[in-house]
Amino acid sequence: MPLHYPLSAVVPPTPGRDDMTLALVLTTISPEVGGVLVRGEKGTAKSTTVRALASVLPPIEVVAGDRFSSAPGDTSPDGTWPRDAETETRPVRLVELPVGATEDRVLGSLHLSKVLADGVAEYEPGLLARAHRGILYVDEVNLLHDHLVDLLLDAAAMGRSTVERDGVSVAHAARFVLVGTMNPEEGELRPQLLDRFGLTVEIAAPRDPQVRAEVVRRRLAFDADPQAFVEQYADAERELTDRIAEARKLLPEVELTDAVLTKAAEVCAAFEVDGMRADIVTTRTAIAHAAWHGRTTVTRADIRQAALLALPHRRRRNPFDAPGLDEDLLDAILGDDEPEPEPPAPQPDGDGDGQGDSEGGPTDDGAESLDSDSPSTEDTGVEPDAGGAPRPPKAEAESPGDSRTSVAGATEPYRVQRLEVRGTGAGESGRRSRALTTNGRRVGVDPNGEGGLHLVETIRAAAPHQRSRGREQGRLRFEETDLRTARREGREANLVLFCVDASGSMAARRRMEQVKTAILSLLLDAYQRRDKVGLVTFRADAGEVALPPTHSVDIAARRLSELPAGGRTPLAEGLLTAADVLRVERVRDPRRRPLLIVITDGRATHGADAVARSRQAAQWIAEQGTTAVVVDCEQGPMRMGLAAHLATAMRATHLPIADVSAQALTGVARAAA
C-alpha cells in the first residue's frame, strides 16, 4: 500500500495559519457542516493535503461483510443489522471521483456479468456507496460533468442514493464528507454545487523564500525515503488523530446560547448571503471549532473563524464577483465583547478560555492565532461610516489618458439569446449546441457503439439466434455481435471565441460601455452553458490574443475590463488572428466545436486594400465551416451597413448589438405576432 505524505508535515502557506487543514478537520469533526471546497493555483499541495487527511481520522466500526459500510443497527441492501451484529474496524476510506466517471460508476448498476452469465439481477455498488461514512474527493471539481453534479447534489441533500434503472431498484445510505479542489483559472463551479460545500478556502503558494525552501526540503526528504519520513511524523499524526477523536466526543457538550446564535445570524444578515444554509453552516462550524480547541462554550473567535470559512463563496452573485470577506466589517459586527452567557447558565469547568483577552479575542493559544493577523482599520485605511461599519476608501478619479486610447467599464450584464453551433456535434456534455452525448434523451440504438449498454435491445438481438446456437434451456447465449448501445442526444459545450474591435471608431465611452456589457453578458451565458472561452482583440495595426481559450470566464471578464480602445481598425488582422486560434484549438481539442463571435462596426482602416483583405479573411473563415456571429455595433441614423456585408462574406449570423439580449428578441417576436 503506497504511503501518503503526512498531514502534519504539510507546511502552511502563512506561518501560524492554515485555513485549509483547519477546514478539513472541522468538517470531519462535524460532518453536518457539509464538506470543503479548496480553491487555489496549481502546485499548492491541495490534493496532497486532502489525501493525507484520511490517514489521521479515527477508524470506524462497520458490520462485517456488509458492502455498504453499515454500522450495527443500520439497514442496507445487504440486510438489517442488529445491534449485536459482528463488526470489524477499518480505516476511513478516501474515495476519489474522477471527473470523467460514468453515471453507472458513481451510482452503481446491474452486475452485468452475473446477469448475462447466470440470469441473476444483482446490484453492484458504485462510488457513492463506497464513500459512505468516509470522504468523497473530487479533484478539479469545477470540470465535473453536469449529470454527475446532479447526482452529487441529490446525495448531499438527502444522505441517500437511489438507483432506479435496468430493472434495479436500490436505495442505500450515502453520508460522506464532500471535498473538492479546483484551480479557478480553469473555470468556476456551478452555483448549485458551490452552495452545497459548507466551507471554502482560498490557497496560494507561499511568497516567503524560507517557507518555500522548507516545502522543497520536506518533499525531497519524503521522495528519498517515504518510510523514514512518515515515521518521523508518526507521533504528530497520532496526536492529530487523538485530538480529532476527543473533539468528536466533546461536540455534543458544546453549549450554544441564544446570544451566540443571534450573533452568528447578525453576521450572515450583514453580509447579505442568500438563504438560511449559511446561518446553519456558520453555527455548526463555530461549535466544531470550539470542540477542536477543547472548549464547551462558543466564543467570538469561533464565530469569526466560522464566518471566514462559511460565507465567502455564498456572497458571490455571479462568477465575476471576487470571492472573499471584508474582515474589517466582520470585526465591526462581532464587536469587542464576547457573547454574554444566558443566566443562570453556569460557567464551564476549565481555564475560562471563552472570556477573551483585552482585544476581545480568546486567551488560548490555538484560538488567538486565528485572530492574530487580522488587519486593523488603521492598516487598511478603511473608514467607519456613521453606523460604525467600515466603509471602503474612495476610488481615485479615472485618468482620462491620451486622445487616442481610453478605457470604459461595463454595466450590469443581462440575459442573452441562445447562440448555437450549426448541426449536431459529439463533444463534451454542456448546454449550448445539439450533440450526441453519453447522457440525454435516447434517440436510437447502435451496434457496438461507444455509449452505455442497452440491455433490452441486446437481449432482443440475441433472442432469434438461440436455437441455432444450441440453447434448449437455461441461460441465454450471447455473441459479441449481439451487443447494442444506446444513442443519446443532448447538449454539448463549445469553444466561444470573441473577436473584439477595440479601434478608435469604438472608443466613444458610451459605445464601448455597451460593447463591454454585451460581451460580459455573453460571457455569463458561456459560463452557464459550460463553454470554453477565448478573447482576441484588434486595434492600431495588429490582432492580439488577449486570452487563450480557457474554462475561466472570470479571467476573461477581468481582461475585458482592462481592454483599451483607440487607433486604426486592422479588421483583417483581427480575423486572421482569430482564425489561427481556432486552427490550433481544432488540433488540440477536435471534439469541441467553435462558435466565433465578431464584435465590430465593420470598418477596416489599417493598411492598403484594408477592405479587400478583410473580405478575403472573412471568406477564408467561411470556407473552414466555422459557425460565426457578427454583432453589429454601428448605431445612429447614418449607417453604412459594413458589419452586415462582413457577415454575408463570413456566412455568419448578423446580429445588431441591441438584439443580443433575450428581452430584445422577445420584444421583436411579440411585435411580429
Side-chain angles (χ1 to χ4, degrees), residues 292-465:
W292 172 241
H293 287 288
R295 295 192 300 271
T296 56
T297 56
V298 178
T299 68
R300 171 182 175 273
D302 298 324
I303 301 174
R304 184 182 193 279
Q305 187 61 50
L308 290 174
L309 296 175
L311 300 186
H313 61 300
R314 292 186 166 86
R315 296 189 63 243
R316 305 188 79 189
R317 295 299 188 268
N318 63 64
F320 311 130
D321 293 339
L325 209 64
D326 185 340
E327 296 192 29
D328 295 305
L329 177 57
L330 177 59
D331 289 334
I333 299 166
L334 290 173
D336 292 333
D337 299 325
E338 292 291 350
E340 301 235 354
E342 291 181 354
Q347 290 290 338
D349 294 335
D351 56 4
D353 298 355
Q355 295 305 312
D357 58 17
S358 59
E359 296 297 324
T363 56
D364 65 286
D365 293 339
E368 183 178 354
S369 66
L370 298 175
D371 275 345
S372 60
D373 51 1
S374 301
S376 67
T377 302
E378 294 179 0
D379 294 335
T380 59
V382 177
E383 301 176 356
D385 60 16
R391 182 176 62 237
K394 294 180 180 179
E396 296 182 2
E398 183 181 349
S399 173
D402 59 43
S403 59
R404 293 171 297 170
T405 303
S406 63
V407 178
T411 57
E412 284 295 316
Y414 46 76
R415 189 170 65 91
V416 301
Q417 60 168 291
R418 174 182 291 189
L419 303 175
E420 298 185 18
V421 177
R422 293 187 294 265
T424 302
E428 298 291 338
S429 294
R431 295 186 171 186
R432 183 171 296 279
S433 306
R434 290 179 55 196
L436 297 177
T437 59
T438 56
N439 62 310
R441 64 187 183 92
R442 193 165 61 208
V443 295
V445 177
D446 289 328
N448 298 315
E450 296 182 357
L453 179 66
H454 196 305
L455 184 59
V456 173
E457 292 298 331
T458 299
I459 294 174
R460 183 175 294 174
H465 307 290

Side-chain angles (χ1 to χ4, degrees), residues 41-186:
E41 57 197 22
K42 51 187 176 292
T44 48
K46 299 188 297 294
S47 299
T48 299
T49 305
V50 174
R51 293 189 177 105
L53 174 66
S55 307
V56 300
L57 295 181
I60 61 173
E61 188 179 35
V62 299
V63 174
D66 183 76
R67 297 176 299 164
F68 299 86
S69 301
S70 301
D74 290 348
T75 298
S76 81
D78 286 348
T80 299
W81 306 108
R83 293 288 180 182
D84 59 350
E86 182 181 353
T87 62
E88 59 186 9
T89 301
R90 66 161 177 79
V92 171
R93 287 173 178 162
L94 175 73
V95 178
E96 299 195 33
L97 194 161
V99 294
T102 63
E103 191 171 323
D104 287 347
R105 184 74 184 97
V106 176
L107 282 179
S109 64
L110 207 61
H111 199 303
L112 287 180
S113 62
K114 291 191 176 182
V115 170
L116 298 180
D118 304 326
V120 177
E122 182 176 314
Y123 172 70
E124 184 176 16
L127 295 178
L128 295 184
R130 182 172 174 78
H132 178 49
R133 301 177 66 196
I135 301 170
L136 183 65
Y137 173 44
V138 189
D139 192 15
E140 306 296 350
V141 64
N142 51 325
L143 304 182
L144 198 64
H145 289 189
D146 278 352
H147 68 288
L148 297 184
V149 170
D150 293 335
L151 298 179
L152 286 184
L153 288 175
D154 291 341
M158 305 300 296
R160 297 186 65 79
S161 175
T162 302
V163 183
E164 298 279 356
R165 59 195 309 171
D166 298 331
V168 173
S169 178
V170 173
H172 62 82
R175 294 185 297 273
F176 47 79
V177 174
L178 180 61
V179 179
T181 55
M182 59 175 281
N183 182 353
E185 294 179 357
E186 297 173 345

Side-chain angles (χ1 to χ4, degrees), residues 414 509-518 635 657-658:
Y414 46 76
R509 177 166 295 274
R510 187 165 184 178
R511 175 179 289 192
M512 184 50 71
E513 181 180 280
Q514 187 179 22
V515 168
K516 287 188 175 182
T517 301
Q635 294 178 332
I657 193 169

